Amino acid sequence: MTSTQHPALLEELRRITGPAHVLCDGDLSAYTQDWRKRAQGKALAVVRPASVDEVAAIVKACAAAGVSLVPQGGNTGLAVGSVPDESGTQVVLSLQRMNAVRAMDAANLTITVEAGCILQSLQEAAEKAGFLFPLSLAAEGSCTIGGNLATNAGGTQVLRYGNARDLCLGLEVVTAQGEIWHGLSGLRKDNTGYDLRDLFVGSEGTLGIITAATLKLYPQPAARLTAWAAVPSMEAAVTLLGLAHRHLGAGLTGFEVMGQFALSLVNKHFPQLRVPFFEAVAASAGPPQARPAPSGGSEPHVVGSVGAPYCVLLENSDHESEAHAREQFERLLETALEDGCVSDAVVAENLAQAHQLWHIRESIPLAQAEEGLNIKHDISIAVSRIPEFVEATDALLRQNIAGVRLVNFGHLGDGNLHYNVQAPEGGDARAFLRDREEEVNTLVYDSVAHFDGSISAEHGVGSLKTDKLEIYKSPVALSMMHAIKGALDPLNIMNPGRIVKL
Amino acid sequence: MTSTQHPALLEELRRITGPAHVLCDGDLSAYTQDWRKRAQGKALAVVRPASVDEVAAIVKACAAAGVSLVPQGGNTGLAVGSVPDESGTQVVLSLQRMNAVRAMDAANLTITVEAGCILQSLQEAAEKAGFLFPLSLAAEGSCTIGGNLATNAGGTQVLRYGNARDLCLGLEVVTAQGEIWHGLSGLRKDNTGYDLRDLFVGSEGTLGIITAATLKLYPQPAARLTAWAAVPSMEAAVTLLGLAHRHLGAGLTGFEVMGQFALSLVNKHFPQLRVPFFEAVAASAGPPQARPAPSGGSEPHVVGSVGAPYCVLLENSDHESEAHAREQFERLLETALEDGCVSDAVVAENLAQAHQLWHIRESIPLAQAEEGLNIKHDISIAVSRIPEFVEATDALLRQNIAGVRLVNFGHLGDGNLHYNVQAPEGGDARAFLRDREEEVNTLVYDSVAHFDGSISAEHGVGSLKTDKLEIYKSPVALSMMHAIKGALDPLNIMNPGRIVKL
């Protein structure tokens, strides 16, 4: 039994939070298994503090006992960064009970919340006060803002509002020494020394524990319109992005690209979603038409009615009116049709249609899961180089792995692709992953490195990519990261083994 | 003679850059005296490398000799951070010769430039390619982008585009060990470890030397309109800011507040600038009307025709058209006049008028200089608390210092005030500064601390505010800063004594 280890520490933890909030027995898998079920760890205890003072006391107690801590929010991370290892010697520090909205400052356009606040609750609190908190991602119903900041989460609104980092004006942090840094500034300018805030943001709990944050709010846009455009190539998608920046300015809040094969999976597994430009395929009785595979991962037998290798979802947020947003959108799409970088387009007539289009985009991972096991990547490349990257990497994978199926989609506006690899049709997907995942990853990441990209655009490193980081990150950068980790957490008790190996 | 010290090092430096670029003799005050002539240091040598490899070699040579380095760009800093101390033992490393635009990537909306590139040259290179590089500040004709990043410069466009930090996507840095970190990513998302980029930005050359940067570009707006509004109080200015956010959205690119006394100095020393709403005063023959001083530092005898204690300069950047921008502005100002938060307003009819309005705003420091010596502050407070801060601090200063004159102006949209103190009229300004500067600073900074603000919003710490930082910065933050400095620059050779004292 884990609970027989470190009895004095457990006693101290019970004293700090009350015994009800130190969990040692029973099914703790909600805390010890990661979201994608890639790892099942074992905790000495799960501690659920209610205040920053309790967090500080817990860290001090663990430091004194030489026991390491794994901070955890909603445990929805995709890089296995917030569950304990298998040793049974780590304490999971769950921030879930610290979920208050501490303050709302309308004139300063800021909100201060505790780390355990669910992202969706935060969005709703902002909306209730007439503001927008723009961070938005698939897990928003269960992820917490603390986790979003610790992993510098991205999502669908980065193009306009930036990553989680860019939305944060201040932090409250418990250091590895159990000290409290009261850095909850609502200041937009503060040049009094090193940028500690941005150091903790994205550090995945390895330098300290974020317990609260002051975040930026924006006025709610008067209208949000969504369009769906078929484009003849990835180059055309990049051209469309440039046009959209010029026509919509800061109104451009979303620009998502989706490969034909990715959409065909949605069309296959969720036909009720009615993927635009797929109706003809769905209706056709005969076998689909075979034609050469266009660049970008579409399968020859699932080409849609317009034959476009990619579709793009665009969002225009307007501070004026829906009519103005529609006029702007129509002008953009007309120009794009004339230019030839769009072959067909629809603009959602109402909010329901807009939600439906986003729902299609968001259903790609689910459709992939329905299709079977697959290998996921979260990469970024300079936008200008993405067409060349995709063409080269598609070819490389096809050449090396017979029957490989490429599910390519993502936030093109940010240069971020979820360049996923589905096992060959009809084969044993489990065996494919077991035998080929490492090879696929190496092919993809080598190509990413060749194009000066990143192997983790928005999901972080966790424990999943530490080995890869040692290969693909510059030794100079790695050495600075080691120095910083050593300086701020000399006992190596804060989420050890994540991001950097010491 | 300094040049007789460290002959071997000087020989090595001459070998690295060529003897023409190691300056030891003659008038070096352009490198050794700061912009505001507050400090005159003495250099062992001024070295002017032409490449990152030369910078790396210089750092290695200095580290081996135990000689410290002072990186310098345009030497326009306001916090005495880029000139050597008086010991004559420090090497000034000037980045001026590294001023190339290395690459422009239109589809990725990025530009890569070397650290010594003058800000205005960078703006012009962007404009020539049809883009906007939005960082803009008074010294743009001589400051360099490396210095802007090292000090995380602010300026007049922060409201929409952020500080220098927010415009930077990647850095090339020479570390304190003389290693080169090639971090010139043009990526908008990259979550592979600690945020080294933001650690170097704002570190004022104390952790390493920024030699190049990849920066964000934006589409050029179709129109930029400027308005000038008289407001009845600082509270009203804050209300107007909220209205402007809602009406103009991301179009709101400037929101500057100017106290009546600040404007009266411009009116007095540069009457040809024709400060709006001052015409009546300028024309009036009799003595100006005396009335109680409104909150915010205006003098009773210099109240303008409309008697407004503050004026606001607003800028609206529109991606559509000038007509659209004007319509938006007029709708905003109508609402504000109805609401009562604006008492009078003008919108510039053309670019020349717009420049004239900005010129008035930018002439405040010059008018202050004409009026005589003064004490400058660069503070920030949450926007919502600024009215209360100004009222309380004005009262405090008036109570403690007879005849004090408050020149209050700044970037209200960012919560950043240049809350300056002019010596009493007719007195000996030099004696006032000598006898009262410390007292004035303490009164102002104590008040800033009381309102949870920052004592350096956009100018940095340099050597000017290190003592103050030890008083006003949290000990936990200071201790982390010390740990980071010690970890990345263990020999303490990078701009020692700046920001943190070791």
Side-chain angles (χ1 to χ4, degrees), chain B residues 79-211:
Chain B
V80 194
S82 66
V83 290
D85 61 25
E86 291 163 12
S87 68
T89 63
Q90 298 193 300
V91 167
V92 173
L93 191 150
S94 165
L95 278 303
Q96 282 175 331
R97 289 177 67 220
M98 290 185 64
N99 62 359
V101 173
R102 286 199 195 156
M104 168 86 73
D105 185 339
N108 197 44
L109 289 174
T110 50
I111 186 169
T112 299
V113 296
E114 292 183 340
C117 184
I118 303 278
L119 175 53
Q120 195 173 311
S121 310
L122 170 50
Q123 293 165 344
E124 287 166 2
E127 200 178 341
K128 217 173 133 185
F131 295 104
L132 172 74
F133 180 68
L135 188 68
S136 178
L137 45 94
E140 61 197 24
S142 39
C143 65
T144 62
I145 188 65
N148 297 148
L149 290 166
T151 57
N152 187 26
T156 56
Q157 302 281 299
V158 174
L159 184 56
R160 163 70 181 95
Y161 300 102
N163 298 288
R165 172 185 309 294
D166 303 291
L167 297 170
C168 179
L169 289 175
L171 291 178
E172 178 186 85
V173 168
V174 172
T175 69
Q177 290 73 39
E179 305 286 340
I180 303 170
W181 173 44
H182 296 282
L184 281 180
S185 138
L187 305 177
R188 282 179 157 73
K189 286 179 168 175
D190 180 13
N191 279 346
T192 53
Y194 304 148
D195 185 4
L196 301 173
R197 179 191 67 208
D198 281 312
L199 192 56
F200 285 105
V201 174
S203 69
E204 303 187 32
T206 64
L207 301 177
I209 300 169
I210 295 172
T211 52

Side-chain angles (χ1 to χ4, degrees), chain B residues 18-92:
Chain B
H21 303 299
V22 180
L23 317 178
C24 296
D25 307 308
D27 179 11
L28 297 179
S29 62
Y31 301 96
T32 55
Q33 184 173 48
D34 79 302
W35 182 255
R36 286 182 61 206
K37 302 194 183 351
R38 294 185 72 114
Q40 171 66 66
K42 204 166 126 184
L44 173 64
V46 175
V47 199
R48 304 172 77 245
S51 70
V52 61
D53 291 325
E54 288 184 12
V55 175
I58 293 164
V59 172
K60 279 190 175 159
C62 287
V67 164
S68 63
L69 289 137
V70 180
Q72 188 180 90
N75 193 18
T76 62
L78 299 173
V80 194
S82 66
V83 290
D85 61 25
E86 291 163 12
S87 68
T89 63
Q90 298 193 300
V91 167
V92 173

